[in-house]
Amino acid sequence: MKPIESFSHMNPTSSEIHRLFELQRSHRVLHPVPIALDQRLQTLQNLATNIRRHQTDIVQALAQDFGKPEPEVLLTEILPVLQEIKHTSKHLKSWMKGTRVGDSLATLGTKGRIVPQARGVCLIISPWNYPFNLAMGPLVSCLAAGNSAILKPSEHTPATSALIARLVAGTFPQEQVSVVQGDATVSQQLLQLAFDHIFFTGSPAVGKLVMEAASKHLTSVTLELGGKSPTVVGPGANLEQAADWITFGKFTNAGQTCIAPDYVMVHASVKDRFVSLLRQRIQKAYPQAGHSPDMAQIVNTRHAQRLHHLVTNAVSLGARVLFGTPSSDRHMDPLLIEAITPEMAIDQE
């Protein structure tokens, strides 16, 4: 693979970002003919081929950023993208077809069709928690629809972001897909440009800023935002299965998943039994707690300290830790906490 410096736009200036944007914009003006089905399918196949070719590099990059175990990388980062490409390739022909629509009284005597068209130049801002999956997944849809893209991966996962830059540069010309690396100021500079569509994955707070910036250009936006995710365990539940699934869903990626089971509401009649089974399942899955080889790390020290503060704040207000030892280490233990109340920060964040 090429050295990063030869092609990666790392902390570019505003003028460099604008030049890259204009490169893609100009290319679409000079080549206005819609991209044919066979070209789109070949583009997706090229991406899939290079993902498979660099699978080991992807695993190593995520291990460097997160300490993610290889099976978890394959299951949650690489396989979903390859499946997305497979599914998209299978259905793309039918998705590209126009659809006839009936006339109305105002259009009597005419014929109407809805014809899918590419949006144009798109911006993809991806997050740090699944830095490969949530960068490449939106890119698959973007390319399948005949668009070009500038991709801004997270600065919190530098090894994976650099890997994405290498992979993209080895797969696409700059006028089709480019990667820009840098901190939040780079994202702010990108958001000042009149993209045709923006795809953002991240927090609601930043999502509001993205939508505000997009509104100045009437740019369409897709926002995939985090939030609280409850799980309900009723009196008739299969408690063993519930403990298995919740352990897997919550502690995959060390809990850093937007739609992970965030809190559990358990019927009083099965609570004690469920808690006992959940403790057993966590101990079996992670016998060394946060230092187990199958447990990823918290992405950085700042986030580990933030999570530790949420726990200590809850305990100071009356919450009880049922399992695990609270710490600010990136190798954070799986924790079970009960007696959460709305005034605790952990109930809101």
Side-chain angles (χ1 to χ4, degrees):
M1 301 177 76
K2 302 175 186 177
I4 299 171
E5 292 75 16
S6 66
F7 52 76
S8 174
H9 302 279
M10 176 68 77
N11 291 315
T13 64
S14 179
S15 61
E16 289 172 334
I17 291 174
H18 193 270
R19 180 199 65 78
L20 189 61
F21 175 76
E22 288 301 325
L23 173 67
Q24 294 198 1
R25 175 75 77 187
S26 299
H27 181 77
R28 299 195 68 84
V29 172
L30 294 173
H31 302 83
V33 179
I35 300 174
L37 172 64
D38 60 345
Q39 292 176 284
R40 300 188 194 192
L41 291 175
Q42 187 60 57
T43 296
L44 294 177
Q45 186 55 51
N46 291 343
L47 178 58
T49 298
N50 270 352
I51 289 174
R52 293 189 183 96
R53 181 177 297 155
H54 296 294
Q55 178 173 300
T56 300
D57 301 306
I58 298 167
V59 170
Q60 291 175 349
L62 284 157
Q64 183 175 337
D65 285 331
F66 271 104
K68 277 195 182 186
E70 182 174 356
E72 195 170 293
V73 174
L74 298 176
L75 182 63
T76 66
E77 298 276 5
I78 298 176
L79 183 60
V81 178
L82 294 177
Q83 287 296 105
E84 181 80 9
I85 293 173
K86 181 179 179 180
H87 177 81
T88 300
S89 298
K90 179 180 178 180
H91 296 283
L92 185 55
K93 183 177 180 179
S94 63
W95 293 346
M96 290 176 65
K97 288 181 178 178
T99 305
R100 291 191 62 180
V101 293
D103 54 10
S104 65
L105 185 61
T107 59
L108 193 63
T110 65
K111 294 182 179 180
R113 288 178 65 82
I114 297 174
V115 180
Q117 294 183 333
R119 297 293 298 174
V121 181
C122 302
L123 172 63
I124 300 172
I125 303 177
S126 59
W128 52 262
N129 59 335
Y130 289 92
F132 188 81
N133 180 350
L134 295 180
M136 294 293 106
L139 181 62
V140 170
S141 298
C142 177
L143 296 174
N147 301 297
S148 60
I150 294 178
L151 177 58
K152 166 60 176 70
S154 174
E155 68 274 19
H156 296 305
T157 50
T160 306
S161 294
L163 182 280
I164 290 171
R166 292 198 297 268
L167 191 151
V168 165
T171 309
F172 308 103
Q174 278 193 341
E175 61 269 20
Q176 186 177 22
V177 186
S178 293
V179 174
V180 173
Q181 298 185 75
D183 57 19
T185 60
V186 172
S187 295
Q188 292 167 3
Q189 292 170 359
L190 286 165
L191 289 170
Q192 293 174 10
L193 301 174
F195 284 94
D196 297 298
H197 189 79
I198 298 173
F199 191 106
F200 169 79
T201 306
S203 70
V206 179
K208 293 176 183 178
L209 299 177
V210 171
M211 180 165 277
E212 180 183 6
S215 69
K216 297 177 181 178
H217 304 289
L218 298 181
T219 297
S220 57
V221 177
T222 301
L223 300 178
E224 183 186 6
L225 307 178
K228 305 294 283 185
S229 299
T231 301
V232 179
V233 179
N238 182 328
L239 299 183
E240 290 80 3
Q241 187 177 73
D244 283 349
W245 287 2
I246 291 171
T247 298
F248 171 79
K250 180 56 192 176
F251 298 111
T252 294
N253 201 32
Q256 300 165 114
T257 306
C258 300
I259 54 173
D262 183 62
Y263 61 98
V264 186
M265 294 183 287
V266 188
H267 195 274
S269 64
V270 297
K271 180 210 168 185
D272 291 342
R273 173 67 176 155
F274 172 74
V275 169
S276 176
L277 288 170
L278 192 56
R279 289 167 60 104
Q280 293 173 30
R281 187 65 186 88
I282 294 172
Q283 286 178 314
K284 182 178 179 181
Y286 307 106
Q288 299 174 48
H291 289 271
S292 293
D294 294 322
M295 171 69 81
Q297 299 172 23
I298 304 303
V299 66
N300 56 39
T301 301
R302 180 173 67 85
H303 277 281
Q305 292 172 343
R306 177 180 62 85
L307 293 172
H308 180 61
H309 172 73
L310 293 178
V311 175
T312 55
N313 169 262
V315 171
S316 70
L317 294 174
R320 296 183 294 275
V321 177
L322 302 179
F323 182 86
T325 302
S327 76
S328 57
D329 195 328
R330 288 184 63 193
H331 295 277
M332 181 171 283
D333 285 1
L335 296 172
L336 295 183
I337 309 171
E338 71 170 355
I340 301 299
T341 57
E343 65 269 17
M344 299 174 184
I346 202 170
D347 191 54
Q348 307 297 326
E349 299 182 24

